[in-house]
Amino acid sequence: MRKSFIFIALLAIAGLVKAQTMEKLPIDPQVRYGKLENGLTYYIRHNAYPEKRANFYIAQKVGSMQEEDNQAGLAHFLEHMAFNGSKNFPGKKTMLNYLESIGVKFGANVNAYTSFDETVYNLDDVPVVRDAIIDSCLMVLHDWSGFIALKDEQIDEERLVIKEEWRTRSGAQYRIWDKQLPVIFEGSKYADRMPIGKMEIVENFPYQTLRDYYHTWYRPDLQGIVIVGDINVDEVEAKIKAMWSDIPKPVNPAERVYFPVPDNDKPIVSVITDPEAVRTQVTLYIKHDVIPAETKQTKEGLIISFIKSLASNMLSDRLEEISQKGDAPFAASYAYDGEFFVSKTKDAWTTIALSKEGKVDETLASLIRENERIKRFGYTDAEVERAKATLLEQYENMYNNRNKELNNRYVQEYVRSFTGDEGIPGIEYEYDFVKKFAPFINAQAINAVVKQLIADKNIIITVTGPEKEGLVYPTTDELLNVFKKVEAENITAYQEAVSNEPLVSQLPKPGSIVKTEADNTLGTTIWTLSNGMKVVIKKTDFKDDEILMSAHAYGGTSIIPDADIYNANMASMVPSVGGIGNFSSTDLKKVLAGKSANVNNNISAYTQGFNGSSNMKDLETMLQLTYLYFTAPRKDEGAYSNIMDLIKNQLKNLTSEPSFILNINKTKAMYGDNPRMQVMLLEDAEKLNYDRIIEIYKEIYANPGSFVFNFVGTVDEAILKPLVEQYLASLPSGNKDAKYKNVDSNIRKGHVENVFEQEMKTPKTSAFEMYSGTLNYEQKNQIALSALKQILDIVYVRTVREEAGGTYGVGVRSWISRIPAGQSVLQMSFDTDPERVASITPIISREINKIAENGPEDTDFLKVKEYMVKKFQEDEKQNGYWVGILGSKYFYGEDNHSNYLALVNSLSKNDIKALTKQLVSQGNHIEVIMNPKK
Ligand SMILES: [Zn+2]
């Protein structure tokens, strides 16, 4: 019998944790888990965060792998049909109409996905304010599980929608997978089961073929229901028992086979190119057996998954360190251990890198070399300690916030438990257990496991990249030779270089808080600092240990002249590329191991700022990072040249990528030749100057005294005060009244039309329609425009997708800008059949004009209003929402919170009609249509 690595791994650690192994994990006592007589599994959990909301899921342990050859694509087709009529929701729109009437929005709250081995349907954030709503949502799950109508005429209508979904998804990536699967899964059913399926089947299958799939595979013994939220568990359990009593236990059910993936002695090599591919990717898989279900649900299962995370995180860190050097053959890379590509029956130790063009063999050599280095020398103790600290910190944060966990986190865990046999002991148990055994996990134990993973059989190498004249990829033999070459190399042990320096080596002279005010409208404290900076604090209990930070100031790229605009647009990446203080970005990661604090900077056209988050323990670290972002952006030529190589490679390849070409044309149509508003091309990237980019960064962040900072969450003013004085008030003031410059960002007026042809592999037409104008910049208009966008989402699903079968979806975007004040935009984008574009496009403006003349339809309007109220009730319990609200209030001087609900409630159909008319009647309409070149 062949020993799988798992058992060897266990031998390695058994001596260390013997007393605790082989024991089954308990099921979290807060979950009601059960099985009905007919085989249906359920997980129910009460969770009142947020209040009066619940998520309802049904997972099917079947997907495209259960299809026969004449059913290719029908698992996914069936998923679409679940929304088109069922026993208790007859009629095509009944179910979605009901759900949307209670504020449960299609797309955002109602959705589903189909993959190879599972199909999962979800209803999220259902407002469970009445028993009837709970009953109806259970009825939806019930109907999905056994009573989807599958009417002839609705099947025929959906064929068109799925064809359009296929068209929309048919980019380079899809074509690459389509060719790659048969190679890397040779001899397995996985080779030929892409869930989107085959269009000749989707277009022509007899109705009965779909019904056959449904009745064979959608049955209670393969179905799991997950309900988490502010519900009564006993009542919901009783309802499930009653409601599913009409679905009998299947008699002689078809066997649900998990199709195997064969082992391979010799490496399998797959090199796939596509003229529209943009990036070159090299992946090294080393397949191994999956962890058996029974093992996953034991303590050793937890230990194994902990060790696998540590091992792959450490390899990722080593690769990242290499990619920061200028001469690296690849620019980004990571490692993980998990499912082999898409298969449930084989796992793989996987290393992936984005290669620079023409460096495929060198990249592969790097990946093999780093694996070989681990095999020969293992990881160091210092690496292991750091990786453990990072992972334990994540557990601790989850544990600390365990009473304020969102429904979705639990639901995902239970769905994985159902479809992937994972244990669900609950965070209390898991954190306690992990804390106890972590000290026993040392480099020796991990190295013993990893050496088994890095085997010399079951190897798969995949290379994907652009197909270009003059670009040559290595042959299979050449790639295989790389193994021999690396094996013969004199590989040395990994040399660890970690700095013991403190983040901020020389503490600045602290400043002070010169004024304290309270604002009762939003419940905040406002400090004015000695350098002019303002700090706003709002203490909340939405999480038990979370502090969010944001900061804003005027300036942005507007203060940089036109000639330097591309350098200015790159300035925001200075800290992420080069690091801060004396730390490169990889060094920074090392010194922050075991800490929960992060800061990111952002630069837009008119403002700059920061976002950050930390727990209470690491608040000081977040402020130290912020201090360094202001005072010490670091230069790193190697990291910069490496990222630029990648960007230039991509820009070169993007010239034949249709969506990029469309984007260039859209931007031109909107902004003409305005030099500040162009898409960056290769020739622009060639002219970038790193020194100038760093200078611009410093210039933009030169006025700390003009910033307004916000802190939201479990923030204690007494603890924050000395930290703010030390790290923020100590910063130089600069120009406290720094403003932005008025630069041209106007959108072209009148009618602009651009219809052009582009070469592409899969013919599709992409259309972009836009109305623009000026509206009063005020909250009422913002709300009305947002409502109009959401109404159009509903209208276009009904008209363009369902009535015309013309597209998979119309994307609608809208905004009213602060600067320039009141610039208002409504954009619609969609893909469609080139043969049908002439009849589909007019629907877009027809529907907008209808609203401008008559207002929206009652039901559409009420659905959107219901959703906006529901969303607000959810948002106002989130720290993330408040960080945004404080930013608007104390930096821009707009209170977008206090009147929001009243404004939404007072919104009328007439308001929408008037706003639409006002926008459309300004006569600014841009149309860009990209057709395939014949
Ligand atoms: Zn779909």
Side-chain angles (χ1 to χ4, degrees):
M1 207 176 85
R2 199 170 51 86
K3 261 189 182 171
S4 86
F5 90 97
I6 297 304
F7 302 103
I8 297 163
L10 288 174
L11 288 179
I13 52 178
L16 302 168
V17 284
K18 204 173 191 172
Q20 293 172 333
T21 53
M22 301 311 287
E23 221 179 284
K24 202 160 167 30
L25 293 170
I27 290 180
D28 186 342
Q30 299 194 61
V31 189
R32 180 73 53 83
Y33 168 84
K35 230 175 206 190
L36 300 185
E37 217 158 287
N38 61 14
L40 182 86
T41 306
Y42 58 82
Y43 303 72
I44 313 167
R45 180 187 184 115
H46 176 259
N47 182 45
Y49 183 76
E51 288 169 332
K52 303 263 175 261
R53 294 289 181 273
N55 291 8
F56 296 75
Y57 277 58
I58 181 165
Q60 320 274 344
K61 278 189 194 174
V62 294
S64 59
M65 289 298 281
Q66 277 55 57
E67 294 163 350
E68 302 297 331
D69 286 342
N70 66 341
Q71 293 174 323
L74 299 198
H76 169 244
F77 201 106
L78 176 58
E79 174 221 306
H80 279 232
M81 292 307 295
F83 300 93
N84 288 349
S86 67
K87 183 177 172 190
N88 293 288
F89 299 89
K92 188 163 171 174
K93 292 288 287 178
T94 320
M95 183 185 285
L96 287 176
N97 275 337
Y98 166 71
L99 290 168
E100 294 198 318
S101 78
I102 56 167
V104 179
K105 191 183 204 171
F106 180 52
N109 300 143
V110 187
N111 222 325
Y113 71 85
T114 306
S115 69
F116 289 75
D117 283 291
E118 67 201 47
T119 310
V120 180
Y121 299 80
N122 65 287
L123 308 177
D124 285 334
D125 296 323
V126 173
V128 284
V129 290
R130 295 186 297 274
D131 268 0
I133 289 180
I134 297 176
D135 294 347
S136 301
C137 288
L138 287 171
M139 195 54 90
V140 169
L141 302 190
H142 164 268
D143 277 14
W144 281 338
S145 83
F147 299 96
I148 301 175
L150 302 179
K151 295 247 172 69
D152 295 359
E153 131 198 17
Q154 282 149 9
I155 291 175
D156 286 335
E157 284 174 12
E158 204 63 27
R159 294 182 204 265
L160 293 170
V161 174
I162 298 207
K163 181 86 188 280
E164 291 312 314
E165 180 177 357
W166 165 83
R167 196 189 306 281
T168 287
R169 294 188 191 282
S170 289
Q173 191 62 69
Y174 168 80
R175 288 188 296 270
I176 284 171
W177 282 335
D178 202 39
K179 290 185 190 157
Q180 197 177 58
L181 251 54
V183 181
I184 67 174
F185 283 111
E186 202 198 333
S188 167
K189 197 173 178 183
Y190 283 104
D192 192 27
R193 279 298 174 273
M194 284 279 276
I196 193 78
K198 301 199 166 43
M199 285 313 108
E200 62 272 23
I201 291 178
V202 164
E203 285 170 293
N204 302 308
F205 69 86
Y207 308 121
Q208 193 54 37
T209 316
L210 180 65
R211 292 175 195 138
D212 286 346
Y213 178 93
Y214 183 47
H215 295 123
T216 308
W217 298 115
Y218 274 39
R219 44 179 226 237
D221 57 320
L222 297 173
Q223 290 171 331
I225 285 176
V226 178
I227 296 162
V228 178
D230 199 357
I231 40 101
N232 180 316
V233 172
D234 292 330
E235 282 175 24
V236 168
E237 185 183 31
K239 284 175 181 181
I240 289 174
K241 285 180 176 166
M243 220 177 262
W244 265 262
S245 63
D246 63 351
I247 301 186
K249 185 179 163 137
V251 183
N252 296 327
E255 189 193 351
R256 196 293 182 211
V257 177
Y258 284 89
F259 292 90
V261 176
D263 289 324
N264 56 295
D265 271 353
K266 287 198 190 121
I268 294 173
V269 178
S270 155
V271 181
I272 312 272
T273 59
D274 188 282
E276 291 168 20
V278 174
R279 306 189 299 185
T280 308
Q281 186 173 305
V282 178
T283 309
L284 171 67
Y285 299 98
I286 308 173
K287 293 184 295 190
H288 59 78
D289 292 344
V290 295
I291 301 172
E294 30 319 343
T295 310
K296 279 188 191 170
Q297 290 163 12
T298 62
K299 291 184 174 180
E300 61 214 305
L302 269 190
I303 298 174
I304 291 168
S305 87
F306 191 78
I307 289 183
K308 289 203 306 184
S309 300
L310 293 178
S312 52
N313 291 348
M314 288 186 283
L315 175 53
S316 294
D317 287 348
R318 284 189 183 185
L319 290 163
E320 191 183 326
E321 204 168 302
I322 295 172
S323 74
Q324 295 288 312
K325 297 180 185 134
D327 54 357
F330 58 91
S333 175
Y334 69 99
Y336 69 89
D337 189 89
E339 286 181 1
F340 168 52
F341 203 81
V342 293
S343 84
K344 267 234 174 345
T345 53
K346 214 53 149 184
D347 280 350
W349 175 256
T350 308
T351 326
I352 302 180
L354 284 185
S355 170
K356 294 181 189 168
E357 233 162 80
K359 305 247 169 140
V360 165
D361 36 9
E362 285 177 59
T363 296
L364 179 64
S366 271
L367 301 185
I368 297 170
R369 189 179 301 120
E370 290 318 306
N371 277 295
E372 189 62 29
R373 200 187 307 279
I374 290 164
K375 202 170 171 181
R376 291 189 199 174
F377 302 100
Y379 295 108
T380 68
D381 289 324
E383 282 178 292
V384 172
E385 289 314 309
R386 215 166 43 226
K388 278 197 313 195
T390 303
L391 211 50
L392 284 170
E393 177 72 11
Q394 291 166 12
Y395 274 103
E396 189 185 338
N397 281 327
M398 268 193 279
Y399 176 79
N400 287 346
N401 287 308
R402 66 194 176 281
N403 297 320
K404 306 282 171 66
E405 197 57 84
L406 292 169
N407 292 333
N408 193 42
R409 179 87 148 254
Y410 293 116
V411 167
Q412 296 307 331
E413 194 183 334
Y414 305 150
V415 168
R416 281 199 303 275
S417 162
F418 179 68
T419 60
D421 303 305
E422 277 178 37
I424 45 167
I427 186 65
E428 279 98 341
Y429 180 94
E430 211 170 322
Y431 180 48
D432 181 61
F433 179 69
V434 164
K435 256 193 321 196
K436 278 186 191 141
F437 79 71
F440 298 102
I441 306 286
N442 54 20
Q444 200 194 346
I446 295 179
N447 294 340
V449 176
V450 178
K451 281 175 191 177
Q452 302 300 324
L453 290 174
I454 306 173
D456 40 22
K457 282 184 182 173
N458 269 328
I459 291 171
I460 317 259
I461 302 155
T462 66
V463 176
T464 63
E467 187 179 317
K468 286 264 140 54
E469 227 180 85
L471 186 57
V472 183
Y473 289 84
T475 63
T476 298
D477 281 343
E478 284 167 339
L479 289 171
L480 291 175
N481 266 332
V482 175
F483 280 91
K484 290 188 196 118
K485 244 173 61 194
V486 174
E487 241 155 67
E489 284 177 10
N490 176 29
I491 295 171
T492 54
Y494 172 74
Q495 290 301 324
E496 166 92 330
V498 200
S499 149
N500 294 320
E501 257 181 87
L503 269 180
V504 179
S505 41
Q506 190 116 50
L507 283 182
K509 188 172 165 291
S512 60
I513 294 168
V514 295
K515 191 165 137 199
T516 299
E517 297 157 275
D519 179 353
N520 293 330
T521 51
L522 297 184
T524 54
T525 302
I526 305 148
W527 293 337
T528 305
L529 311 188
S530 46
N531 59 358
M533 191 184 272
K534 285 220 154 87
V535 172
V536 183
I537 304 136
K538 182 172 174 69
K539 194 174 165 76
T540 70
D541 58 2
F542 305 135
K543 289 270 177 195
D544 288 325
D545 189 2
E546 179 184 82
I547 300 171
L548 300 186
M549 178 187 87
S550 74
H552 306 267
Y554 280 123
T557 57
S558 75
I559 63 169
I560 307 300
D562 291 0
D564 254 335
I565 193 64
Y566 293 107
N567 285 324
N569 287 342
M570 299 300 274
S572 68
M573 66 166 211
V574 166
S576 64
V577 170
I580 47 176
N582 294 326
F583 304 92
S584 71
S585 64
T586 47
D587 290 342
L588 198 59
K589 207 170 153 192
K590 287 182 183 175
V591 297
L592 292 178
K595 290 198 156 82
S596 286
N598 73 77
V599 174
N600 290 301
N601 64 297
N602 54 69
I603 299 175
S604 70
Y606 299 100
T607 62
Q608 61 277 357
F610 299 102
N611 288 300
S613 67
S614 77
N615 57 17
M616 294 188 275
K617 162 175 79 68
D618 296 318
L619 175 60
E620 179 165 12
T621 305
M622 177 163 73
L623 285 154
Q624 288 174 330
L625 292 170
T626 308
Y627 176 79
L628 293 175
Y629 267 81
F630 269 117
T631 57
R634 185 176 167 278
K635 183 175 179 183
D636 190 326
E637 294 280 8
Y640 175 76
S641 83
N642 206 35
I643 195 84
M644 283 316 300
D645 280 351
L646 191 73
I647 290 175
K648 286 181 202 164
N649 276 178
Q650 294 192 6
L651 286 173
K652 198 166 77 189
N653 298 327
L654 279 165
T655 53
S656 50
E657 207 281 313
S659 67
F660 183 75
I661 302 297
L662 179 64
N663 196 27
I664 292 175
N665 280 277
K666 274 169 13 183
T667 309
K668 277 256 186 263
M670 283 174 71
Y671 300 107
D673 291 326
N674 183 341
R676 307 188 73 90
M677 306 301 276
Q678 303 300 310
V679 175
M680 183 168 76
L681 303 175
L682 181 60
E683 62 256 39
D684 308 310
E686 304 275 14
K687 289 185 220 140
L688 291 172
N689 176 326
Y690 189 31
D691 284 325
R692 181 66 188 128
I693 292 172
I694 295 176
E695 246 174 61
I696 289 173
Y697 176 90
K698 289 180 177 163
E699 204 177 321
I700 287 176
Y701 282 96
N703 304 306
S706 68
F707 274 73
V708 179
F709 271 78
N710 308 297
F711 291 87
V712 174
T714 43
V715 51
D716 182 327
E717 287 181 25
I719 295 172
L720 182 64
K721 182 169 179 276
L723 299 176
V724 160
E725 288 172 334
Q726 178 66 73
Y727 298 107
L728 294 182
S730 59
L731 289 161
S733 166
N735 176 7
K736 274 188 268 190
D737 302 314
K739 287 276 172 295
Y740 60 90
K741 281 199 176 130
N742 278 312
V743 288
D744 177 7
S745 51
N746 295 324
I747 294 170
R748 285 165 76 185
K749 300 252 185 293
H751 187 75
V752 181
E753 192 185 285
N754 175 9
V755 181
F756 67 99
E757 289 188 349
Q758 164 68 22
E759 247 168 67
M760 59 183 82
K761 288 278 282 184
T762 308
K764 72 174 178 191
T765 292
S766 297
F768 170 80
E769 302 277 332
M770 178 173 129
Y771 294 87
S772 69
T774 308
L775 299 171
N776 266 344
Y777 180 74
E778 58 186 23
Q779 198 186 7
K780 190 182 166 191
N781 277 343
Q782 285 175 311
I783 289 172
L785 185 60
S786 164
L788 172 61
K789 175 242 174 293
Q790 298 177 71
I791 288 167
L792 287 171
D793 284 336
I794 297 173
V795 167
Y796 291 140
V797 166
R798 181 170 60 232
T799 53
V800 187
R801 174 170 159 147
E802 285 173 356
E803 285 168 15
T807 188
Y808 178 52
V810 176
V812 185
R813 289 180 62 201
S814 70
W815 71 80
I816 303 187
S817 64
R818 281 187 180 101
I819 317 163
Q823 183 185 79
S824 304
V825 166
L826 189 61
Q827 291 181 341
M828 279 67 59
S829 320
F830 62 97
D831 294 336
T832 188
D833 184 345
E835 306 296 317
R836 301 185 59 208
V837 61
S839 64
I840 301 295
T841 314
I843 304 174
I844 299 292
S845 39
R846 182 192 79 200
E847 292 302 320
I848 291 177
N849 288 329
K850 260 203 232 167
I851 294 174
E853 290 313 313
N854 314 315
E857 284 183 25
D858 243 334
T859 49
D860 297 347
F861 174 70
L862 291 173
K863 282 173 178 178
V864 166
K865 229 165 127 167
E866 193 72 23
Y867 176 77
M868 290 174 89
V869 170
K870 183 185 79 105
K871 184 77 170 50
F872 174 79
Q873 292 163 345
E874 292 157 13
D875 287 346
E876 68 167 344
K877 302 285 171 60
Q878 302 285 330
N879 289 330
Y881 166 83
W882 280 101
V883 147
I885 289 296
L886 297 195
S888 311
K889 172 80 193 274
Y890 300 102
F891 180 64
Y892 295 109
E894 302 159 11
D895 180 351
N896 287 330
H897 174 77
S898 302
N899 295 322
Y900 181 86
L901 212 49
L903 284 170
V904 170
N905 283 323
S906 70
L907 190 70
S908 70
K909 286 189 351 181
N910 249 334
D911 294 332
I912 306 275
K913 175 178 147 181
L915 177 116
T916 312
K917 187 150 202 163
Q918 204 191 337
L919 185 61
V920 172
S921 65
Q922 295 180 45
N924 306 312
H925 179 209
I926 292 177
E927 184 174 55
V928 179
I929 300 206
M930 177 172 73
N931 286 312
K933 200 171 251 172
K934 301 244 168 69

